[in-house]
Amino acid sequence: MRIRMGRQEAHIGGGYLDGTSKPQKFIGADLVAGESVVHRGVGTFTLLTVDPMLIRLLPGAGGTATFCFTPAPEFDLDPGLARLIYGPPRKTADTLNRRDEN
Protein backbone atom coordinates (compact mmCIF):
# COMPACT_ATOMS: atom_id res chain seq x y z
CA MET A 1 0.00 0.00 0.00
CA ARG A 2 1.12 3.53 -0.60
CA ILE A 3 0.10 7.10 -1.14
CA ARG A 4 1.34 8.16 -4.56
CA MET A 5 0.74 11.67 -5.86
CA GLY A 6 -1.93 12.13 -3.18
CA ARG A 7 -3.81 8.94 -4.14
CA GLN A 8 -4.29 6.17 -1.59
CA GLU A 9 -3.49 2.85 -3.29
CA ALA A 10 -3.42 -0.77 -2.15
CA HIS A 11 -3.28 -4.27 -3.62
CA ILE A 12 -5.78 -6.93 -2.58
CA GLY A 13 -5.05 -10.57 -3.27
CA GLY A 14 -6.12 -13.94 -2.00
CA GLY A 15 -8.16 -17.02 -2.61
CA TYR A 16 -9.19 -20.27 -1.08
CA LEU A 17 -8.51 -23.92 -1.60
CA ASP A 18 -11.22 -26.21 -2.85
CA GLY A 19 -9.91 -29.59 -1.72
CA THR A 20 -6.79 -29.27 -3.88
CA SER A 21 -3.37 -27.76 -3.34
CA LYS A 22 -3.98 -24.74 -5.57
CA PRO A 23 -6.35 -21.78 -5.17
CA GLN A 24 -9.62 -22.39 -6.99
CA LYS A 25 -11.11 -18.94 -6.57
CA PHE A 26 -8.65 -16.07 -6.67
CA ILE A 27 -8.84 -12.30 -6.53
CA GLY A 28 -6.08 -9.83 -7.30
CA ALA A 29 -6.42 -6.12 -7.98
CA ASP A 30 -4.67 -2.79 -7.49
CA LEU A 31 -7.19 -0.30 -6.12
CA VAL A 32 -7.37 3.42 -5.39
CA ALA A 33 -9.44 4.54 -2.37
CA GLY A 34 -13.11 4.36 -3.35
CA GLU A 35 -12.63 1.63 -5.98
CA SER A 36 -14.10 -1.86 -5.65
CA VAL A 37 -13.39 -5.33 -6.92
CA VAL A 38 -15.85 -8.23 -7.04
CA HIS A 39 -14.79 -11.72 -5.98
CA ARG A 40 -17.44 -13.94 -7.59
CA GLY A 41 -19.33 -16.03 -5.08
CA VAL A 42 -17.73 -14.18 -2.17
CA GLY A 43 -18.54 -10.47 -2.38
CA THR A 44 -17.34 -6.97 -3.13
CA PHE A 45 -14.28 -5.38 -1.53
CA THR A 46 -14.06 -1.58 -1.56
CA LEU A 47 -10.84 0.16 -0.53
CA LEU A 48 -11.68 2.86 2.02
CA THR A 49 -8.33 4.17 3.27
CA VAL A 50 -4.65 3.32 3.52
CA ASP A 51 -2.24 4.27 6.27
CA PRO A 52 1.26 3.34 5.14
CA MET A 53 4.03 3.08 7.70
CA LEU A 54 6.66 5.64 6.76
CA ILE A 55 9.52 4.10 8.74
CA ARG A 56 9.62 0.31 8.89
CA LEU A 57 11.15 -0.93 12.11
CA LEU A 58 10.90 -4.65 11.36
CA PRO A 59 11.14 -6.64 8.14
CA GLY A 60 7.65 -7.22 6.80
CA ALA A 61 6.17 -4.44 8.93
CA GLY A 62 3.82 -2.16 7.10
CA GLY A 63 0.79 0.00 7.39
CA THR A 64 -2.88 -0.82 7.11
CA ALA A 65 -5.50 -0.80 4.39
CA THR A 66 -9.18 -0.64 5.33
CA PHE A 67 -11.74 -2.35 3.11
CA CYS A 68 -15.52 -2.53 3.22
CA PHE A 69 -16.77 -6.06 2.48
CA THR A 70 -20.26 -6.63 1.09
CA PRO A 71 -21.00 -10.38 0.90
CA ALA A 72 -22.50 -11.91 -2.23
CA PRO A 73 -26.03 -13.31 -1.73
CA GLU A 74 -24.70 -16.87 -2.07
CA PHE A 75 -21.80 -16.33 0.37
CA ASP A 76 -22.16 -18.64 3.36
CA LEU A 77 -20.01 -18.15 6.45
CA ASP A 78 -19.14 -21.39 8.24
CA PRO A 79 -21.15 -21.46 11.52
CA GLY A 80 -18.05 -22.40 13.55
CA LEU A 81 -16.12 -19.46 12.15
CA ALA A 82 -19.10 -17.15 12.75
CA ARG A 83 -19.15 -18.18 16.43
CA LEU A 84 -15.40 -17.57 16.67
CA ILE A 85 -15.75 -14.09 15.18
CA TYR A 86 -19.08 -12.95 16.62
CA GLY A 87 -19.51 -15.12 19.72
CA PRO A 88 -22.54 -17.28 20.51
CA PRO A 89 -25.87 -16.36 18.91
CA ARG A 90 -27.74 -13.68 20.83
CA LYS A 91 -31.16 -14.33 22.22
CA THR A 92 -33.84 -12.29 20.53
CA ALA A 93 -37.35 -11.48 21.67
CA ASP A 94 -38.55 -14.31 19.44
CA THR A 95 -36.24 -16.91 21.01
CA LEU A 96 -36.93 -15.65 24.53
CA ASN A 97 -40.68 -16.09 24.04
CA ARG A 98 -40.36 -19.72 22.86
CA ARG A 99 -40.58 -22.43 25.49
CA ASP A 100 -37.89 -25.02 25.72
CA GLU A 101 -39.23 -28.41 24.68
CA ASN A 102 -36.61 -30.25 26.76
Side-chain angles (χ1 to χ4, degrees), residues 21-85:
S21 60
K22 61 181 184 175
Q24 299 298 307
K25 304 279 185 176
F26 187 80
I27 184 174
D30 292 314
L31 301 174
V32 174
E35 291 182 337
S36 301
V37 63
V38 175
H39 188 178
R40 284 181 302 156
V42 176
T44 302
F45 295 86
T46 303
L47 177 61
L48 300 178
T49 63
V50 299
D51 186 15
M53 184 175 281
L54 299 178
I55 300 173
R56 293 185 177 185
L57 301 175
L58 299 170
T64 59
T66 304
F67 291 87
C68 175
F69 172 66
T70 305
E74 66 272 21
F75 181 74
D76 188 23
L77 184 60
D78 178 274
L81 183 57
R83 276 191 299 281
L84 181 66
I85 295 170

